[in-house]
Amino acid sequence: MSLEHFLNQAVSSWMSEEGPDSDIVLTTRIRLARNFEQYKFPTLFSHQEAQQVISEMEQLLQNSGLQKFGQMELLKIEDMQPLQKRVLVEKHLISPQLAEDSPYGAVLLTENEEISIMINEEDHIRIQCLFPGLQLTEALQAANEIDDWLESHIQYAFDEKYGYLTSCPTNVGTGIRASVMMHLPGLILTQQMNRIIPAINQLGLVVRGIYGEGSEALGNIFQISNQITLGKSEEDICRDLIGVVSQLISQERSAREALRKTSNIQLEDRVFRSLGVLTNSRIIESKEAARCLSDVRLGIDMGYIQNMSKSILNELMILTQPGFLQQYAGGQLRPHERDIRRAALIRERLKMEFNKL
Amino acid sequence: MICQECHQRPAAFHFTKIVNGEKTEVNLCEVCAQEKGEILMFNGQSGFDFNNLLAGLLKIDPTFQKPSQSPFQQEELLHCENCSMTFPQFLKLGRFGCSHCYDTFKDQLQPVLRRLHSGNWTHNGKIPKRIGGDLHLRKQLEELKEGLQKCISLEEFETAAKIRDEIRSIEKKLTSGYEGGK
């Protein structure tokens, strides 16, 4: 398979398109957790109930009302190859939990991959909207529209006092998880991040690495999301998150300016060394790749590197994950083979950029 | 055994990683294991997850109650009639079995929710249009009926008549809503 063809298939719109503040905010995500009233939660439900949930969703898929959100496809976990599942996890379209621990799981995906509805994960339904850049209000609106449409056909588990009932009490109430993925190399280089993270935690928000819980901040990418779901409205939750994110954006911008003033040549050197590594290496580990990609992206944003697509960080961070590399190779790879493949893929992708000139 | 990364601290984590049939043994100390977050990523959660924390939160509670109440015995007996989940089971899983559990365990739930959601324990967000629209009206109806009784007992018949008209219009809305829904 040629790289261009592979890219056309693999790159979702949120990876290649640019949104507001996309020099710092890579993506915005809204997730709503919902459950059917009449079935037991996936923690305890029977095989039969799980099938009923899926077949109810399949029936809704036939309904033309759902088409207005885009062409949708239903994929069942049991029908998927391990590699296919892993690729969807790496693209943030399904959770690791759905891929690994949900035997009756399924996912409804739109063609542009902006909307995904996970079925039978921890809750019966999890609506997810993934937008490029900082677009919390837009993503919330999109998720609400789908939610409203589903609610007109499904009897949700809802309680006057507790709101939307979820399997885990940490999600009860609004069932919302709003998260923003940010590239913060300036705050890392100026060593401010260690000070900032505890402050964010005190505001009821959580900071995580690119692949959620327990993952490290590869490539200076951080995910910031709300933790509290009960007692605040969806709008307030998003407003609080926007408040913190805007603060971080302005602090990151001033950190970059400070770096330009105090260590211009050192920064430029770092950026071009990393570009050199990416254009020339024959073996590269994911950690080193992530670090260099972050430097190159910073170089593009700060104008050191010109005529290169900004989306290169978003794209290559995802495409150099083990699942994608193996899909591109068309089969399974050993760890050291992956490092060779990764280096080759990055070199080829960069060549496409240089050929554009 | 010494950590294979730093060669200084003793290894506290021993992983066997099998990638495509190729077995690699990894022995790391706590510091290096954290840095190598990759290992934990796809093999599920780290050892200390939410369930442990939740169980911890809940188990603290009884110590603040009077011993004469023997809270453990009560909780042991309590189970959800719909899905037969018991409270100790919930503690273990950290998850409820069905929507009825929220009602079954409501007494135990409140302090937990307060702690999880910084003091909040009632929903203040979106209300579903279909179920919710009805909810609003029914709540309003109850209040009006109470008001009506009060007016009658106070012999304020003029206000009572107004309230009666309001009640009628809401009841009409409710019945037409049901028909429309079905």
Side-chain angles (χ1 to χ4, degrees):
Chain A
M1 200 182 344
S2 82
L3 183 64
E4 260 181 286
H5 183 69
F6 174 71
L7 286 177
N8 283 338
Q9 285 191 332
V11 175
S12 326
S13 65
W14 58 264
M15 282 191 240
S16 55
E17 278 168 28
E18 281 181 27
D21 294 308
S22 59
D23 56 329
I24 292 166
V25 178
L26 306 179
T27 57
T28 298
R29 183 160 39 147
I30 293 281
R31 186 218 68 196
L32 299 175
R34 299 288 186 258
N35 283 287
F36 284 84
E37 165 90 62
Q38 73 265 43
Y39 304 123
K40 289 198 274 291
F41 294 154
T43 340
L44 283 186
F45 66 3
S46 62
H47 177 71
Q48 201 191 351
E49 281 180 305
Q51 296 299 342
Q52 273 169 324
V53 171
I54 293 187
S55 74
E56 286 214 27
M57 293 305 284
E58 268 174 334
Q59 269 169 27
L60 287 179
L61 193 58
Q62 305 298 321
N63 191 310
S64 56
L66 202 57
Q67 303 289 330
K68 70 172 176 226
F69 303 110
Q71 191 66 40
M72 285 203 191
E73 194 188 355
L74 186 120
L75 303 164
K76 287 184 191 168
I77 291 298
E78 54 179 358
D79 298 337
M80 274 189 248
Q81 298 298 316
L83 215 54
Q84 251 182 310
K85 289 193 272 185
R86 187 155 185 167
V87 163
L88 290 181
V89 172
E90 288 171 359
K91 279 170 121 174
H92 300 277
L93 294 174
I94 64 173
S95 64
Q97 198 188 336
L98 188 80
E100 303 305 328
D101 303 319
S102 312
Y104 312 123
V107 63
L108 273 173
L109 272 183
T110 55
E111 233 166 2
N112 63 5
E113 299 182 338
E114 270 183 5
I115 299 166
S116 74
I117 304 174
M118 287 196 279
I119 302 165
N120 291 342
E121 198 228 34
E122 190 181 293
D123 295 297
H124 293 138
I125 297 172
R126 286 198 162 184
I127 304 163
Q128 179 186 280
C129 291
L130 193 56
F131 282 37
L134 184 59
Q135 301 192 67
L136 271 168
T137 325
E138 293 80 357
L140 177 63
Q141 199 189 337
N144 270 335
E145 279 172 22
I146 300 165
D147 182 44
D148 290 343
W149 190 85
L150 287 175
E151 198 263 329
S152 64
H153 295 82
I154 292 172
Q155 193 72 25
Y156 275 158
F158 181 83
D159 180 271
E160 220 171 314
K161 197 166 129 202
Y162 296 134
Y164 294 94
L165 302 178
T166 52
S167 165
C168 183
T170 46
N171 296 318
V172 76
T174 53
I176 198 174
R177 188 76 70 225
S179 63
V180 172
M181 193 98 79
M182 305 181 83
H183 182 222
L184 302 171
L187 292 177
I188 291 288
L189 284 170
T190 54
Q191 294 176 339
Q192 293 183 72
M193 208 54 202
N194 291 339
R195 196 170 46 79
I196 291 171
I197 291 176
I200 295 176
N201 289 340
Q202 279 182 339
L203 296 167
L205 301 173
V206 202
V207 186
R208 297 195 183 99
I210 178 170
Y211 283 106
E213 260 163 275
S215 71
E216 63 182 318
L218 272 180
N220 301 324
I221 295 173
F222 294 88
Q223 228 184 107
I224 296 148
S225 55
N226 68 301
Q227 189 154 44
I228 293 156
T229 56
L230 189 65
K232 282 206 243 175
S233 73
E234 290 81 353
E235 287 74 19
D236 284 344
I237 288 170
C238 287
R239 209 170 298 135
D240 289 354
L241 185 59
I242 292 174
V244 170
V245 168
S246 326
Q247 281 276 323
L248 281 172
I249 292 175
S250 67
Q251 294 210 28
E252 168 68 22
R253 289 211 174 111
S254 45
R256 290 182 187 184
E257 276 324 297
L259 282 169
R260 196 200 294 277
K261 277 193 193 121
T262 56
S263 34
N264 190 19
I265 189 73
Q266 286 91 336
L267 191 61
E268 191 173 354
D269 177 67
R270 185 188 169 108
V271 164
F272 280 99
R273 272 171 191 274
S274 290
L275 182 61
V277 169
L278 293 176
T279 10
N280 295 302
S281 67
R282 265 38 183 184
I283 302 170
I284 193 162
E285 271 191 48
S286 59
K287 221 170 168 179
E288 191 185 6
R291 204 192 65 228
C292 293
L293 284 168
S294 167
D295 286 343
V296 167
R297 172 65 197 257
L298 181 67
I300 298 169
D301 286 335
M302 292 184 65
Y304 294 120
I305 302 175
Q306 285 177 352
N307 302 315
M308 197 179 276
S309 329
K310 283 184 172 188
S311 64
I312 209 149
L313 170 75
N314 315 17
E315 255 180 63
L316 286 177
M317 272 300 286
I318 309 268
L319 299 183
T320 55
Q321 294 294 322
F324 264 110
L325 284 176
Q326 297 182 65
Q327 199 194 39
Y328 180 44
Q332 305 216 311
L333 296 171
R334 294 171 181 208
H336 77 277
E337 291 175 327
R338 287 206 299 254
D339 294 345
I340 297 170
R341 276 279 171 174
R342 181 177 296 117
L345 190 144
I346 293 172
R347 285 202 315 273
E348 242 181 288
R349 178 66 186 84
L350 287 172
K351 213 186 277 167
M352 277 166 62
E353 290 292 323
F354 298 135
N355 289 344
K356 271 195 333 201
L357 301 178
Chain B
M1 194 178 284
I2 295 289
C3 169
Q4 66 180 60
E5 279 287 309
C6 60
H7 303 289
Q8 280 171 4
R9 289 172 287 260
F13 290 87
H14 311 278
F15 300 100
T16 308
K17 202 168 153 187
I18 301 173
V19 181
N20 304 333
E22 191 176 312
K23 201 164 142 187
T24 345
E25 300 242 359
V26 188
N27 301 294
L28 299 170
C29 68
E30 201 161 338
V31 181
C32 298
Q34 257 180 8
E35 277 176 17
K36 282 224 155 194
E38 175 221 0
I39 297 166
L40 299 172
M41 202 176 94
F42 274 95
N43 300 349
Q45 302 83 26
S46 50
F48 198 68
D49 64 0
F50 167 72
N51 297 352
N52 306 42
L53 288 172
L54 182 68
L57 272 183
L58 289 161
K59 276 175 188 150
I60 295 166
D61 261 355
T63 56
F64 293 109
Q65 291 173 0
K66 283 176 196 152
S68 59
Q69 286 175 322
S70 67
F72 280 115
Q73 240 178 350
Q74 279 182 348
E75 282 161 14
E76 212 97 43
L77 292 170
L78 195 62
H79 69 94
C80 176
E81 289 193 1
N82 186 52
C83 68
S84 67
M85 159 110 30
T86 62
F87 199 67
Q89 236 183 320
F90 164 66
L91 284 181
K92 216 173 132 197
L93 289 167
R95 295 195 170 81
F96 287 120
C98 69
S99 51
H100 299 251
C101 290
Y102 277 92
D103 191 45
T104 314
F105 303 117
K106 59 176 184 291
D107 295 337
Q108 287 85 346
L109 195 58
Q110 235 180 59
V112 184
L113 289 179
R114 276 173 191 263
R115 264 179 235 170
L116 289 174
H117 300 281
S118 19
N120 299 317
W121 53 282
T122 43
H123 181 54
N124 201 9
K126 190 174 176 180
I127 290 174
K129 278 186 187 145
R130 198 165 49 95
I131 328 171
D134 215 304
L135 247 161
H136 278 315
L137 289 177
R138 267 189 281 140
K139 233 180 157 183
Q140 212 180 332
L141 196 65
E142 270 170 40
E143 279 168 21
L144 284 173
K145 277 182 180 166
E146 269 173 37
L148 183 67
Q149 288 305 320
K150 218 184 216 171
C151 286
I152 291 170
S153 67
L154 292 171
E155 299 189 6
E156 289 174 3
F157 297 114
E158 234 172 275
T159 349
K162 270 187 203 161
I163 293 177
R164 188 201 54 208
D165 291 344
E166 270 184 67
I167 289 177
R168 277 190 188 154
S169 82
I170 287 177
E171 279 176 338
K172 212 171 170 184
K173 263 191 228 167
L174 272 172
T175 43
S176 68
Y178 274 128
E179 280 159 15
K182 282 180 183 170

